[in-house]
Amino acid sequence: MSGEPKPRAADGKSAEDARYCNVALLGFGTVGSSVARILCERPNTHLRLTHVLNRGVARKKVDWIPASVQWTEDIEDILASDVDIVVEVMGGLQPAEEWIRRALVAGKSVVTANKQLIARCGPELTALAHSKRQQIEFGPSVAGGVPVISGVHEGLAGDELFKILGILNGTCNYILSQIETNGVPFSTALREAQKLGFAEADPTEDIEGLDARAKLAILARVGLHCDVKQERIATRSIAPVDSIDFEYARQLGCTIRQISWAELKSANGKEELLAAVQPALVDLSSPLARVEGSRNLVIATGKYGGETVFGGHGAGGHPTAVAVVSDILAIARSKQAAMNRNAPTPQKTPVVTADFTTKHYLRFMVKDRPGIIATLATLLSERGINIDSVLQKPGCPKSHLPFLITLEECRASLVEEALKRINSLDFLVQPCLHMPIL
Amino acid sequence: MSGEPKPRAADGKSAEDARYCNVALLGFGTVGSSVARILCERPNTHLRLTHVLNRGVARKKVDWIPASVQWTEDIEDILASDVDIVVEVMGGLQPAEEWIRRALVAGKSVVTANKQLIARCGPELTALAHSKRQQIEFGPSVAGGVPVISGVHEGLAGDELFKILGILNGTCNYILSQIETNGVPFSTALREAQKLGFAEADPTEDIEGLDARAKLAILARVGLHCDVKQERIATRSIAPVDSIDFEYARQLGCTIRQISWAELKSANGKEELLAAVQPALVDLSSPLARVEGSRNLVIATGKYGGETVFGGHGAGGHPTAVAVVSDILAIARSKQAAMNRNAPTPQKTPVVTADFTTKHYLRFMVKDRPGIIATLATLLSERGINIDSVLQKPGCPKSHLPFLITLEECRASLVEEALKRINSLDFLVQPCLHMPIL
């Protein structure tokens, strides 16, 4: 107001602006718009969306993005700006690679969801970022919302991992699940997946294992510290797998999944990396057998910590956007750490209760006599609690007769109140066991 | 050699010493000795173990720790030294709390596995660390080797989590699994667990849910940003759960686990935190139902990313030590980032093959005629491959007869070689489908 110059930080930002990390989005498709939504909805954050780049940007504009955001088709607008972090969610190799290189050279850090690009030239881009004192993060390039890159790189940094097993392609997992559940041929399951949007019109990348192969190459690099060219990883199609194979698999106590597998072994004194993406039989007791629909799962095995499992949504705008924003925050944190502004997260102090609303399990042990159920039913209904089922195991002694009442959804406190009265009844041999049904 | 002073970094270390992060261990029990082992065995690391503190330290000395490490009973030795990171794995509230405070005040960062201490005064200690420009990390305090603290704090930082469900106590999970599998009474399962070292002589903390409650309080803080006193979280014992309850649960399509549950809800315009540790029925299809023995599992649910699962070994020296070393590395990384020395990890470039050794699944589709099995068996045995089983689904047409041969463990390349010959045989209607059995 007084016309005095505002104090400026080293990078030329005003002191107020320096509190913010400016973010530019390259690409405003499914993932890009989800990232924008999270950035705009998020309270108490130092992140500020400043640019959105897309081809034909005029038709992309939406009203829920602040007017301060600049919409552009020109990368130069972003390279010349005071953007701190460039988020690449356009896909494709070019111009994505060139723009990422130029952003790093221009002193901006980068977050990318581009698995093909990272599988191909991740180490080069990381070295370029390092030489420019910037960061490049690529958590969203593998397994969408499942934080497996940070998990193996940071969470398990203390271990020496030697094996990674994963379900990394939701399309294949969906198709195989459908063959398994509905006994349909492969071709039918594929058509169904395409109709529902789970598979592309040209499903080659998914079905043949090329999509998962790029992700496995990235995981091998981050988790096993092996710089492996994706072309060196063998792949096999899931197309020959048919419903008869699930019948046979079941007889062997197994099911079939597309498995990405990388394992470091010492053979004849030198290390080798076993790696492949292929349909495989997995034991029904394995977490891999339980992965449903389009979800992803990774099992990392280490010398010290044994098996660690990461699972969740492997694709989709919102889950992938979570991975993008988590990486943006990681970069922002390390920029702040360098400035010693790594303040503790503000905490809420809400009311704490255990009054969950669920179905309930009430197991009684009684000395049998007529009218017990009627008595209990009356006491429960007086409090507006509805009985769902009554079960009694046959052949138990009358003096210690166990039986079960399940209740429809209601608040735990209502049940506890009823039980205070019920537990004083003389036919109970021990207090009622009460558990929620999740 | 020339007597010239070596160049010194700001903290008074020589330039060579400044490449290292010095680590002191408080406590040399199960976890402490595992941490020492990882630090001593780890190649290419900037971490250097310099001190080990324990009561009666003389009887603790082992020969696999370098002679340069100082063994001591006196915390002052460590506080006065150039240690960068103090690792507290002694347990108990005092003197752990006092020593951690003094370490932070002395300008050292801290890693602790002490759940009771962190549940009680984590925010205070974090604030103290921040005021001293140090870090305190407590990943190993929850779920041992499962990287769930870094997972929810960093990996899922981009989401807004509102629910955390977990199996956080291996002792309870082991006992409940035993009742389920062997149909034994609770008391027998507990005695068995005590005999095998899965439960303490006084199992109160575990059975009554107090151990899991401390961990849930920490998770609610880190994941849901709720500062909740552990005493406010309701607990219920698993002691009343008996084998009859597993029979009833099974009839409902469920099993029973000790569940730690925290969920943020808006009720009447204000936020409340539902939180409890209790035995609960969980659907058999839930990942919670599949947690075996002493393993841990956490499901975090967010507004954008949906459910994410973290699972692994929740206790034990080695897994917990992995969590400790991962936190040490995180601190070392952020110290390095501040100095811009965050170099890319060196990468191996091993030979890449897909020649896994497994059992194999070979599914044939043939035009039936006598002698097919004999022909295949001969071709396989010529290459030293042993047949494990032959299965044939009844009622299929002779012109398209599917059958299955499974093979004993052997290298994939052996099988591929045999299949080259086999796939040229005229009775095959389509090429053999070959998959590994994991």
Side-chain angles (χ1 to χ4, degrees), chain B residues 398-422:
Chain B
K398 290 266 182 192
S399 63
H400 278 74
L401 189 71
F403 71 94
L404 171 67
I405 295 181
T406 64
L407 307 177
E408 292 182 2
E409 277 207 347
C410 68
R411 285 166 45 214
S413 59
L414 262 186
V415 182
E416 286 297 325
E417 203 184 296
L419 285 178
K420 264 186 217 154
R421 174 78 185 87
I422 287 172

PDB file of all heavy atoms in Angstrom, chain B residues 398-422:
ATOM      1  N   LYS B 398     -14.419 -85.812 -28.317  1.00  0.00           N
ATOM      2  CA  LYS B 398     -13.145 -86.438 -28.707  1.00  0.00           C
ATOM      3  C   LYS B 398     -12.334 -85.538 -29.646  1.00  0.00           C
ATOM      4  O   LYS B 398     -11.116 -85.633 -29.715  1.00  0.00           O
ATOM      5  CB  LYS B 398     -13.431 -87.775 -29.433  1.00  0.00           C
ATOM      6  CG  LYS B 398     -13.963 -88.861 -28.524  1.00  0.00           C
ATOM      7  CD  LYS B 398     -12.835 -89.735 -28.023  1.00  0.00           C
ATOM      8  CE  LYS B 398     -13.382 -90.869 -27.151  1.00  0.00           C
ATOM      9  NZ  LYS B 398     -12.306 -91.564 -26.433  1.00  0.00           N
ATOM     10  N   SER B 399     -13.056 -84.709 -30.425  1.00  0.00           N
ATOM     11  CA  SER B 399     -12.360 -83.879 -31.417  1.00  0.00           C
ATOM     12  C   SER B 399     -11.666 -82.674 -30.779  1.00  0.00           C
ATOM     13  O   SER B 399     -10.746 -82.098 -31.352  1.00  0.00           O
ATOM     14  CB  SER B 399     -13.354 -83.386 -32.466  1.00  0.00           C
ATOM     15  OG  SER B 399     -14.316 -82.559 -31.828  1.00  0.00           O
ATOM     16  N   HIS B 400     -12.151 -82.248 -29.589  1.00  0.00           N
ATOM     17  CA  HIS B 400     -11.537 -81.134 -28.863  1.00  0.00           C
ATOM     18  C   HIS B 400     -11.438 -81.530 -27.399  1.00  0.00           C
ATOM     19  O   HIS B 400     -12.159 -81.026 -26.547  1.00  0.00           O
ATOM     20  CB  HIS B 400     -12.371 -79.852 -28.987  1.00  0.00           C
ATOM     21  CG  HIS B 400     -12.134 -79.117 -30.248  1.00  0.00           C
ATOM     22  ND1 HIS B 400     -12.620 -79.541 -31.461  1.00  0.00           N
ATOM     23  CD2 HIS B 400     -11.438 -77.976 -30.499  1.00  0.00           C
ATOM     24  CE1 HIS B 400     -12.245 -78.699 -32.406  1.00  0.00           C
ATOM     25  NE2 HIS B 400     -11.532 -77.736 -31.851  1.00  0.00           N
ATOM     26  N   LEU B 401     -10.530 -82.412 -27.117  1.00  0.00           N
ATOM     27  CA  LEU B 401     -10.437 -82.961 -25.769  1.00  0.00           C
ATOM     28  C   LEU B 401      -9.376 -82.193 -24.968  1.00  0.00           C
ATOM     29  O   LEU B 401      -8.196 -82.242 -25.305  1.00  0.00           O
ATOM     30  CB  LEU B 401     -10.046 -84.440 -25.861  1.00  0.00           C
ATOM     31  CG  LEU B 401     -10.128 -85.210 -24.539  1.00  0.00           C
ATOM     32  CD1 LEU B 401     -11.577 -85.426 -24.129  1.00  0.00           C
ATOM     33  CD2 LEU B 401      -9.414 -86.553 -24.678  1.00  0.00           C
ATOM     34  N   PRO B 402      -9.794 -81.461 -23.914  1.00  0.00           N
ATOM     35  CA  PRO B 402      -8.785 -80.773 -23.108  1.00  0.00           C
ATOM     36  C   PRO B 402      -8.271 -81.706 -22.015  1.00  0.00           C
ATOM     37  O   PRO B 402      -9.034 -82.462 -21.434  1.00  0.00           O
ATOM     38  CB  PRO B 402      -9.572 -79.622 -22.484  1.00  0.00           C
ATOM     39  CG  PRO B 402     -10.979 -80.116 -22.380  1.00  0.00           C
ATOM     40  CD  PRO B 402     -11.158 -81.209 -23.413  1.00  0.00           C
ATOM     41  N   PHE B 403      -6.985 -81.696 -21.770  1.00  0.00           N
ATOM     42  CA  PHE B 403      -6.486 -82.328 -20.541  1.00  0.00           C
ATOM     43  C   PHE B 403      -5.240 -81.602 -20.058  1.00  0.00           C
ATOM     44  O   PHE B 403      -4.656 -80.777 -20.762  1.00  0.00           O
ATOM     45  CB  PHE B 403      -6.244 -83.832 -20.730  1.00  0.00           C
ATOM     46  CG  PHE B 403      -5.073 -84.157 -21.589  1.00  0.00           C
ATOM     47  CD1 PHE B 403      -3.823 -84.395 -21.036  1.00  0.00           C
ATOM     48  CD2 PHE B 403      -5.222 -84.223 -22.974  1.00  0.00           C
ATOM     49  CE1 PHE B 403      -2.742 -84.687 -21.844  1.00  0.00           C
ATOM     50  CE2 PHE B 403      -4.150 -84.520 -23.783  1.00  0.00           C
ATOM     51  CZ  PHE B 403      -2.893 -84.750 -23.217  1.00  0.00           C
ATOM     52  N   LEU B 404      -4.912 -81.925 -18.811  1.00  0.00           N
ATOM     53  CA  LEU B 404      -3.901 -81.156 -18.107  1.00  0.00           C
ATOM     54  C   LEU B 404      -2.778 -82.061 -17.656  1.00  0.00           C
ATOM     55  O   LEU B 404      -3.022 -83.158 -17.142  1.00  0.00           O
ATOM     56  CB  LEU B 404      -4.548 -80.513 -16.862  1.00  0.00           C
ATOM     57  CG  LEU B 404      -3.626 -79.834 -15.872  1.00  0.00           C
ATOM     58  CD1 LEU B 404      -3.004 -78.594 -16.504  1.00  0.00           C
ATOM     59  CD2 LEU B 404      -4.395 -79.447 -14.618  1.00  0.00           C
ATOM     60  N   ILE B 405      -1.544 -81.592 -17.858  1.00  0.00           N
ATOM     61  CA  ILE B 405      -0.391 -82.253 -17.241  1.00  0.00           C
ATOM     62  C   ILE B 405       0.298 -81.222 -16.357  1.00  0.00           C
ATOM     63  O   ILE B 405       0.590 -80.108 -16.814  1.00  0.00           O
ATOM     64  CB  ILE B 405       0.608 -82.771 -18.301  1.00  0.00           C
ATOM     65  CG1 ILE B 405      -0.049 -83.885 -19.137  1.00  0.00           C
ATOM     66  CG2 ILE B 405       1.891 -83.288 -17.645  1.00  0.00           C
ATOM     67  CD1 ILE B 405       0.861 -84.482 -20.201  1.00  0.00           C
ATOM     68  N   THR B 406       0.503 -81.542 -15.082  1.00  0.00           N
ATOM     69  CA  THR B 406       1.330 -80.654 -14.257  1.00  0.00           C
ATOM     70  C   THR B 406       2.698 -81.300 -14.076  1.00  0.00           C
ATOM     71  O   THR B 406       2.816 -82.533 -14.010  1.00  0.00           O
ATOM     72  CB  THR B 406       0.698 -80.373 -12.881  1.00  0.00           C
ATOM     73  OG1 THR B 406       0.617 -81.583 -12.143  1.00  0.00           O
ATOM     74  CG2 THR B 406      -0.699 -79.778 -13.035  1.00  0.00           C
ATOM     75  N   LEU B 407       3.716 -80.440 -14.021  1.00  0.00           N
ATOM     76  CA  LEU B 407       5.093 -80.929 -13.932  1.00  0.00           C
ATOM     77  C   LEU B 407       5.689 -80.594 -12.579  1.00  0.00           C
ATOM     78  O   LEU B 407       5.361 -79.570 -11.978  1.00  0.00           O
ATOM     79  CB  LEU B 407       5.951 -80.275 -15.024  1.00  0.00           C
ATOM     80  CG  LEU B 407       5.431 -80.386 -16.454  1.00  0.00           C
ATOM     81  CD1 LEU B 407       6.354 -79.633 -17.408  1.00  0.00           C
ATOM     82  CD2 LEU B 407       5.307 -81.855 -16.867  1.00  0.00           C
ATOM     83  N   GLU B 408       6.588 -81.438 -12.126  1.00  0.00           N
ATOM     84  CA  GLU B 408       7.356 -81.112 -10.918  1.00  0.00           C
ATOM     85  C   GLU B 408       8.261 -79.919 -11.203  1.00  0.00           C
ATOM     86  O   GLU B 408       8.456 -79.535 -12.349  1.00  0.00           O
ATOM     87  CB  GLU B 408       8.199 -82.324 -10.485  1.00  0.00           C
ATOM     88  CG  GLU B 408       7.326 -83.477 -10.001  1.00  0.00           C
ATOM     89  CD  GLU B 408       8.151 -84.676  -9.525  1.00  0.00           C
ATOM     90  OE1 GLU B 408       9.400 -84.584  -9.544  1.00  0.00           O
ATOM     91  OE2 GLU B 408       7.535 -85.684  -9.140  1.00  0.00           O
ATOM     92  N   GLU B 409       8.812 -79.329 -10.136  1.00  0.00           N
ATOM     93  CA  GLU B 409       9.650 -78.135 -10.293  1.00  0.00           C
ATOM     94  C   GLU B 409      10.772 -78.339 -11.301  1.00  0.00           C
ATOM     95  O   GLU B 409      11.547 -79.288 -11.199  1.00  0.00           O
ATOM     96  CB  GLU B 409      10.298 -77.761  -8.955  1.00  0.00           C
ATOM     97  CG  GLU B 409       9.396 -76.951  -8.083  1.00  0.00           C
ATOM     98  CD  GLU B 409      10.173 -76.057  -7.114  1.00  0.00           C
ATOM     99  OE1 GLU B 409      11.392 -76.239  -6.954  1.00  0.00           O
ATOM    100  OE2 GLU B 409       9.536 -75.162  -6.530  1.00  0.00           O
ATOM    101  N   CYS B 410      10.842 -77.445 -12.267  1.00  0.00           N
ATOM    102  CA  CYS B 410      11.999 -77.438 -13.162  1.00  0.00           C
ATOM    103  C   CYS B 410      12.079 -76.077 -13.846  1.00  0.00           C
ATOM    104  O   CYS B 410      11.160 -75.269 -13.733  1.00  0.00           O
ATOM    105  CB  CYS B 410      11.900 -78.552 -14.198  1.00  0.00           C
ATOM    106  SG  CYS B 410      10.585 -78.318 -15.385  1.00  0.00           S
ATOM    107  N   ARG B 411      13.159 -75.818 -14.547  1.00  0.00           N
ATOM    108  CA  ARG B 411      13.356 -74.529 -15.183  1.00  0.00           C
ATOM    109  C   ARG B 411      12.424 -74.361 -16.375  1.00  0.00           C
ATOM    110  O   ARG B 411      12.186 -75.296 -17.135  1.00  0.00           O
ATOM    111  CB  ARG B 411      14.811 -74.365 -15.606  1.00  0.00           C
ATOM    112  CG  ARG B 411      15.737 -74.071 -14.402  1.00  0.00           C
ATOM    113  CD  ARG B 411      17.188 -74.241 -14.767  1.00  0.00           C
ATOM    114  NE  ARG B 411      17.435 -73.589 -16.054  1.00  0.00           N
ATOM    115  CZ  ARG B 411      18.294 -74.033 -16.963  1.00  0.00           C
ATOM    116  NH1 ARG B 411      18.981 -75.136 -16.729  1.00  0.00           N
ATOM    117  NH2 ARG B 411      18.470 -73.381 -18.090  1.00  0.00           N
ATOM    118  N   ALA B 412      11.907 -73.133 -16.537  1.00  0.00           N
ATOM    119  CA  ALA B 412      10.959 -72.853 -17.613  1.00  0.00           C
ATOM    120  C   ALA B 412      11.568 -73.144 -18.984  1.00  0.00           C
ATOM    121  O   ALA B 412      10.886 -73.628 -19.892  1.00  0.00           O
ATOM    122  CB  ALA B 412      10.505 -71.402 -17.536  1.00  0.00           C
ATOM    123  N   SER B 413      12.864 -72.887 -19.154  1.00  0.00           N
ATOM    124  CA  SER B 413      13.486 -73.071 -20.468  1.00  0.00           C
ATOM    125  C   SER B 413      13.467 -74.533 -20.905  1.00  0.00           C
ATOM    126  O   SER B 413      13.324 -74.832 -22.081  1.00  0.00           O
ATOM    127  CB  SER B 413      14.926 -72.544 -20.444  1.00  0.00           C
ATOM    128  OG  SER B 413      15.666 -73.224 -19.460  1.00  0.00           O
ATOM    129  N   LEU B 414      13.586 -75.447 -19.934  1.00  0.00           N
ATOM    130  CA  LEU B 414      13.505 -76.881 -20.243  1.00  0.00           C
ATOM    131  C   LEU B 414      12.151 -77.214 -20.847  1.00  0.00           C
ATOM    132  O   LEU B 414      12.040 -77.954 -21.828  1.00  0.00           O
ATOM    133  CB  LEU B 414      13.658 -77.693 -18.949  1.00  0.00           C
ATOM    134  CG  LEU B 414      15.005 -78.287 -18.590  1.00  0.00           C
ATOM    135  CD1 LEU B 414      14.853 -79.166 -17.362  1.00  0.00           C
ATOM    136  CD2 LEU B 414      15.557 -79.096 -19.751  1.00  0.00           C
ATOM    137  N   VAL B 415      11.100 -76.670 -20.206  1.00  0.00           N
ATOM    138  CA  VAL B 415       9.735 -76.947 -20.656  1.00  0.00           C
ATOM    139  C   VAL B 415       9.510 -76.335 -22.038  1.00  0.00           C
ATOM    140  O   VAL B 415       8.934 -76.979 -22.927  1.00  0.00           O
ATOM    141  CB  VAL B 415       8.717 -76.379 -19.641  1.00  0.00           C
ATOM    142  CG1 VAL B 415       7.292 -76.696 -20.079  1.00  0.00           C
ATOM    143  CG2 VAL B 415       8.984 -76.937 -18.253  1.00  0.00           C
ATOM    144  N   GLU B 416       9.987 -75.100 -22.233  1.00  0.00           N
ATOM    145  CA  GLU B 416       9.803 -74.425 -23.524  1.00  0.00           C
ATOM    146  C   GLU B 416      10.438 -75.239 -24.653  1.00  0.00           C
ATOM    147  O   GLU B 416       9.891 -75.361 -25.748  1.00  0.00           O
ATOM    148  CB  GLU B 416      10.433 -73.021 -23.479  1.00  0.00           C
ATOM    149  CG  GLU B 416       9.637 -72.015 -22.663  1.00  0.00           C
ATOM    150  CD  GLU B 416       8.252 -71.760 -23.238  1.00  0.00           C
ATOM    151  OE1 GLU B 416       8.098 -71.778 -24.470  1.00  0.00           O
ATOM    152  OE2 GLU B 416       7.310 -71.575 -22.445  1.00  0.00           O
ATOM    153  N   GLU B 417      11.589 -75.790 -24.355  1.00  0.00           N
ATOM    154  CA  GLU B 417      12.302 -76.588 -25.346  1.00  0.00           C
ATOM    155  C   GLU B 417      11.485 -77.833 -25.713  1.00  0.00           C
ATOM    156  O   GLU B 417      11.285 -78.137 -26.898  1.00  0.00           O
ATOM    157  CB  GLU B 417      13.634 -77.007 -24.712  1.00  0.00           C
ATOM    158  CG  GLU B 417      14.723 -77.349 -25.677  1.00  0.00           C
ATOM    159  CD  GLU B 417      15.928 -77.825 -24.877  1.00  0.00           C
ATOM    160  OE1 GLU B 417      16.482 -77.012 -24.096  1.00  0.00           O
ATOM    161  OE2 GLU B 417      16.277 -79.014 -25.009  1.00  0.00           O
ATOM    162  N   ALA B 418      10.952 -78.507 -24.694  1.00  0.00           N
ATOM    163  CA  ALA B 418      10.115 -79.679 -24.944  1.00  0.00           C
ATOM    164  C   ALA B 418       8.876 -79.283 -25.748  1.00  0.00           C
ATOM    165  O   ALA B 418       8.443 -80.011 -26.652  1.00  0.00           O
ATOM    166  CB  ALA B 418       9.718 -80.331 -23.629  1.00  0.00           C
ATOM    167  N   LEU B 419       8.325 -78.117 -25.437  1.00  0.00           N
ATOM    168  CA  LEU B 419       7.080 -77.704 -26.103  1.00  0.00           C
ATOM    169  C   LEU B 419       7.298 -77.381 -27.578  1.00  0.00           C
ATOM    170  O   LEU B 419       6.388 -77.535 -28.392  1.00  0.00           O
ATOM    171  CB  LEU B 419       6.465 -76.492 -25.382  1.00  0.00           C
ATOM    172  CG  LEU B 419       5.780 -76.825 -24.048  1.00  0.00           C
ATOM    173  CD1 LEU B 419       5.243 -75.543 -23.403  1.00  0.00           C
ATOM    174  CD2 LEU B 419       4.629 -77.828 -24.256  1.00  0.00           C
ATOM    175  N   LYS B 420       8.506 -76.931 -27.918  1.00  0.00           N
ATOM    176  CA  LYS B 420       8.787 -76.678 -29.331  1.00  0.00           C
ATOM    177  C   LYS B 420       8.529 -77.947 -30.134  1.00  0.00           C
ATOM    178  O   LYS B 420       7.895 -77.923 -31.186  1.00  0.00           O
ATOM    179  CB  LYS B 420      10.247 -76.257 -29.500  1.00  0.00           C
ATOM    180  CG  LYS B 420      10.426 -74.755 -29.537  1.00  0.00           C
ATOM    181  CD  LYS B 420      11.871 -74.379 -29.854  1.00  0.00           C
ATOM    182  CE  LYS B 420      12.240 -73.144 -29.043  1.00  0.00           C
ATOM    183  NZ  LYS B 420      13.678 -73.055 -28.794  1.00  0.00           N
ATOM    184  N   ARG B 421       9.002 -79.063 -29.604  1.00  0.00           N
ATOM    185  CA  ARG B 421       8.808 -80.358 -30.258  1.00  0.00           C
ATOM    186  C   ARG B 421       7.332 -80.782 -30.172  1.00  0.00           C
ATOM    187  O   ARG B 421       6.716 -81.168 -31.165  1.00  0.00           O
ATOM    188  CB  ARG B 421       9.733 -81.375 -29.563  1.00  0.00           C
ATOM    189  CG  ARG B 421       9.590 -82.810 -29.982  1.00  0.00           C
ATOM    190  CD  ARG B 421      10.279 -83.098 -31.307  1.00  0.00           C
ATOM    191  NE  ARG B 421      10.005 -84.463 -31.715  1.00  0.00           N
ATOM    192  CZ  ARG B 421       8.947 -84.843 -32.424  1.00  0.00           C
ATOM    193  NH1 ARG B 421       8.078 -83.927 -32.837  1.00  0.00           N
ATOM    194  NH2 ARG B 421       8.750 -86.119 -32.747  1.00  0.00           N
ATOM    195  N   ILE B 422       6.772 -80.645 -28.961  1.00  0.00           N
ATOM    196  CA  ILE B 422       5.400 -81.132 -28.720  1.00  0.00           C
ATOM    197  C   ILE B 422       4.389 -80.385 -29.583  1.00  0.00           C
ATOM    198  O   ILE B 422       3.454 -80.983 -30.132  1.00  0.00           O
ATOM    199  CB  ILE B 422       5.058 -81.002 -27.207  1.00  0.00           C
ATOM    200  CG1 ILE B 422       5.826 -82.072 -26.417  1.00  0.00           C
ATOM    201  CG2 ILE B 422       3.562 -81.090 -26.960  1.00  0.00           C
ATOM    202  CD1 ILE B 422       5.747 -81.940 -24.915  1.00  0.00           C
TER     203      ILE B 422
END
